[in-house]
Amino acid sequence: MNVLIVALLLAFSLVPPSAWAEESDPVTRQRIIELQRRAEQALLGQTGEALYRPAKALAWLDLALHEHYEDDRAGIIEHAIAEAERLLAAGTVGAAFDTPVPRAAEFIREDLWTKAAALRKSRHFHCAAREIAQLEVQLVWAGHEKWESGWTHARPAVEVAENLAYEAEMAQRFCTPRTAAPNVEKISIAGDALFPLNKDDIKHISAEGRSKLEAFANELKKWKSIERINVVGHTDRLGSPAYNLDLSRRRANNIRSYLIGQGLPAGRIVATGEGGRKPLVQCTNADRDKPLPDCLQPNRRVEITISGER
């Protein structure tokens, strides 16, 4: 078979069917996006325990949007939207800690559920409220993947939950009393400016990427103190979810290693990957006026969030 034809067939095989199918329920997608905006607005300016509710709502909506594009019909989308609306409603206080597991999900990894409850009851809850909220929803997500297709399908989601539990533990371990709200700054670097296509090793970081990272590290060395640096890798939706999750995590971990090599504190830098689950743009067939990979470019990125004192 012609080599070009083989290459094209392989390329198309990496694209999930949902990327090419017509969207069946744009009203639901729009509702999810509107709620995401509300949750993001609720997060602005919040610290400590106040992060928990909007962060948890946003995690439910990430689940809802992902399953919407997967054309899930098991009821998990409606459940996730309802939970997000409940969390964003005024007066949801103690009930925010409830994390109901729907019919279309199994209760799995009891050890992680127990850990999440212990982390939430800790006197250092305020230092890991966001991660704990995300962990609880991620466990539901993993349970849905297990219910739907078994352990092999659920494993990437479980790994994300394990990583979130580790992040929460580290955040609480290094938790220190705060006399004032910390500076929180966020930068986003285009993934294409850091790594060539499908590359993740430090040696593959582009000259432009190295320059940006070096300038960033030098600026951070001037801060009086650094509480935390979160490095999050993102991909577009092309390719399998498992591959994208692994690629985003490897890239984030290698950026973490690079920053440590620049003299930043290893114990304060946490690297995670989100795969293609948190897109900045959707690029549906109806509104796309350029090739799909080009349209999805903003989704391929690395986001670095810093909290501390300047």
Side-chain angles (χ1 to χ4, degrees):
M1 187 180 293
N2 185 285
V3 173
L4 177 59
I5 294 175
V6 172
L8 287 171
L9 288 172
L10 288 172
F12 277 104
S13 70
L14 292 173
V15 180
S18 58
W20 301 104
E22 288 296 325
E23 187 172 3
S24 60
D25 188 4
V27 174
T28 295
R29 175 174 67 89
Q30 187 58 36
R31 180 60 181 150
I32 295 169
I33 291 172
E34 288 172 358
L35 287 168
Q36 283 179 322
R37 291 183 184 131
R38 279 182 56 192
E40 288 165 354
Q41 282 294 118
L43 277 171
L44 290 176
Q46 300 293 351
T47 59
E49 294 90 340
L51 289 168
Y52 181 82
R53 275 197 298 163
K56 194 169 186 177
L58 204 53
W60 278 116
L61 294 166
D62 288 340
L63 168 55
L65 190 61
H66 179 272
E67 294 305 316
H68 171 73
Y69 282 116
E70 292 290 317
D71 201 25
D72 189 284
R73 305 295 177 87
I76 190 77
I77 298 170
E78 294 76 12
H79 177 89
I81 291 173
E83 282 301 301
E85 289 177 327
R86 180 178 69 86
L87 288 161
L88 294 173
T92 306
V93 183
F97 294 131
D98 297 336
T99 312
V101 177
R103 177 188 60 80
E106 294 184 25
F107 182 81
I108 63 172
R109 291 303 300 266
E110 184 175 359
D111 60 317
L112 290 179
W113 281 106
T114 301
K115 181 173 289 187
L119 290 166
R120 202 178 61 226
K121 293 174 183 176
S122 166
R123 63 189 179 91
H124 296 308
F125 169 63
H126 64 282
C127 285
R130 185 196 297 264
E131 291 81 0
I132 295 167
Q134 293 171 336
L135 168 60
E136 290 168 337
V137 177
Q138 185 65 35
L139 285 169
V140 176
W141 195 335
H144 173 65
E145 299 295 336
K146 169 67 164 56
W147 175 88
E148 189 176 52
S149 304
W151 274 113
T152 300
H153 195 65
R155 188 168 294 114
V158 172
E159 289 176 357
V160 173
E162 291 172 337
N163 206 37
L164 285 167
Y166 173 77
E167 287 184 45
E169 286 181 313
M170 291 300 100
Q172 290 193 352
R173 180 178 301 179
F174 293 105
C175 186
T176 55
R178 295 193 299 216
T179 56
N183 293 106
V184 177
E185 297 186 15
K186 182 176 181 178
I187 68 166
S188 181
I189 305 175
D192 295 354
L194 290 171
F195 297 98
L197 182 65
N198 287 333
K199 300 296 184 182
D200 63 84
D201 195 87
I202 288 178
K203 67 183 180 182
H204 292 127
I205 296 178
S206 67
E208 179 185 358
R210 286 179 183 274
S211 176
K212 288 183 177 181
L213 290 172
E214 185 176 353
F216 169 72
N218 288 335
E219 181 62 30
L220 280 186
K221 291 174 188 176
K222 300 175 185 176
W223 284 38
K224 292 180 182 178
S225 65
I226 294 175
E227 288 189 8
R228 191 160 185 203
I229 301 173
N230 281 337
V231 182
V232 184
H234 298 268
T235 69
D236 59 29
R237 69 174 184 257
L238 303 180
S240 72
Y243 176 81
N244 285 337
L245 177 63
D246 184 55
L247 177 63
S248 67
R249 291 176 65 184
R250 284 185 279 123
R251 286 184 167 182
N253 275 309
N254 285 328
I255 295 299
R256 176 182 183 271
S257 297
Y258 183 85
L259 294 176
I260 292 170
Q262 292 293 309
L264 295 173
R268 302 297 173 91
I269 308 176
V270 177
T272 58
E274 291 287 351
R277 296 185 311 178
K278 294 187 176 180
L280 296 177
V281 296
Q282 300 298 340
C283 297
T284 59
N285 291 334
D287 61 11
R288 194 170 73 241
D289 59 358
K290 52 186 172 181
L292 184 60
D294 293 343
C295 182
L296 293 172
Q297 192 279 328
N299 297 337
R300 302 190 294 271
R301 67 200 189 276
V302 173
E303 295 177 338
I304 307 175
T305 306
I306 316 97
S307 60
E309 184 181 0
R310 274 191 172 279

